[in-house]
Amino acid sequence: MLTILFDGIAYGMLLFILALGLAVTMGLMNFINLAHGAFAMVGGYITVLLMQHYGVPFLACLPLAFVGAGLLGAVLERTLYRPLYRRPHLDQVLFSIGLTFMAVAAVDYFVGSTQQIVQLPAWLRGRTEIGDGAWTLGMGHYRLFIIAVCAALTIVLQYVLSSTRFGSRLRASVDDQRVAAGLGINVNVVFLATFAFGSGLAGLGGALGAEVLGLDPQFPLKFMIYFLIVVAVGGTSSITGPLLAALLLGIADVAGKYYIPKLGAFIVYTLMIVILIWRPQGLFVRQGGKA
């Protein structure tokens, strides 16, 4: 039981990092980017290709995946996404889902459709067990590593958004771009940096999740619904909501597949429906409840 809880928390933390960039672009930039999973796939493939073809250590690949996906996000934000900020949400959805299918086709053509394998370092492949009987806690070293990395990123991001000048400039730019520009804030640069950072987080999540979730060209489509559930259930007014939603989703998914494998993802969707009936705006909303 404790092992299932531990694995569910690790899975939830991984989903949180993967979906966080989508929560930022939807909640803070008011842009629906369904191509978010493609940036995660880019980070995963950067890690796999660097390790397989150039012998780059796994830990060194993680920041490279973040930077690579972030740079790609910056280029696409400047060239393709920016003209769509003021367009209707339907246009944004159609554009980003089309970009996702293009990314899937490109990776399938250039890399192939086979499942990619990540060879973790020996110290991340072990497992430690505490206790005995039904209350045995089996902690996979790699899942413990995922929890530690994601927890550290969560703390840093919460500090950046709530306690730094950049965070206040971002919130001001979202609330009223004209007033923010009149106060000397370069709104385009703020949005560019935010989009690039969110894309980089997705790339890092893809690199971390390649061993746990699997990696193939269909990755953005397979996990798109999970990213949307995290954002819809958690809300987009803070990162606390998506974090809690991702943990609930991860624990429910792991426990459901272990105890009731025939139902599969049905438990996750049932949980989502119940929460959204109870809290239509998500678990956390801004003061006034209109987020």
Side-chain angles (χ1 to χ4, degrees), residues 244-265:
L244 181 57
L247 291 175
L248 288 174
L249 174 62
I251 294 172
D253 195 37
V254 171
K257 290 177 179 177
Y258 181 83
Y259 289 112
I260 320 175
K262 291 184 178 181
L263 290 181

Side-chain angles (χ1 to χ4, degrees), residues 97-111:
I97 195 70
L99 195 61
T100 300
F101 281 109
M102 291 175 62
V104 169
V107 172
D108 185 44
Y109 179 80
F110 288 106
V111 183

Side-chain angles (χ1 to χ4, degrees), residues 128-215:
T128 300
E129 293 192 357
I130 302 175
D132 53 26
W135 296 100
T136 300
L137 172 58
M139 297 184 297
H141 293 172
Y142 185 58
R143 282 167 172 76
L144 190 61
F145 174 76
I146 288 175
I147 292 176
V149 171
C150 294
L153 286 173
T154 302
I155 294 172
V156 170
L157 188 60
Q158 179 65 35
Y159 173 78
V160 169
L161 292 177
S162 62
S163 304
T164 65
R165 179 175 296 181
F166 179 81
S168 61
R169 288 183 174 183
L170 175 59
R171 294 192 301 272
S173 300
V174 172
D175 289 338
D176 195 317
Q177 294 187 28
R178 290 186 177 181
V179 173
L183 293 173
I185 298 175
N186 193 327
V187 176
N188 288 334
V189 171
V190 170
F191 279 6
L192 174 65
T194 303
F195 192 92
F197 186 76
S199 301
L201 283 179
L204 177 60
L208 289 170
E211 195 273 341
V212 176
L213 305 176
L215 183 65

Side-chain angles (χ1 to χ4, degrees), residues 45-68:
Y45 273 100
I46 287 176
T47 299
V48 169
L49 295 177
L50 287 177
M51 292 180 67
Q52 291 181 352
H53 296 284
Y54 300 100
V56 180
F58 175 73
L59 291 182
C61 290
L62 296 181
L64 294 176
F66 175 86
V67 172

Side-chain angles (χ1 to χ4, degrees), residues 106-123:
V107 172
D108 185 44
Y109 179 80
F110 288 106
V111 183
S113 59
T114 57
Q115 186 90 3
Q116 300 297 321
I117 299 175
V118 177
Q119 294 294 335
L120 296 174
W123 60 277

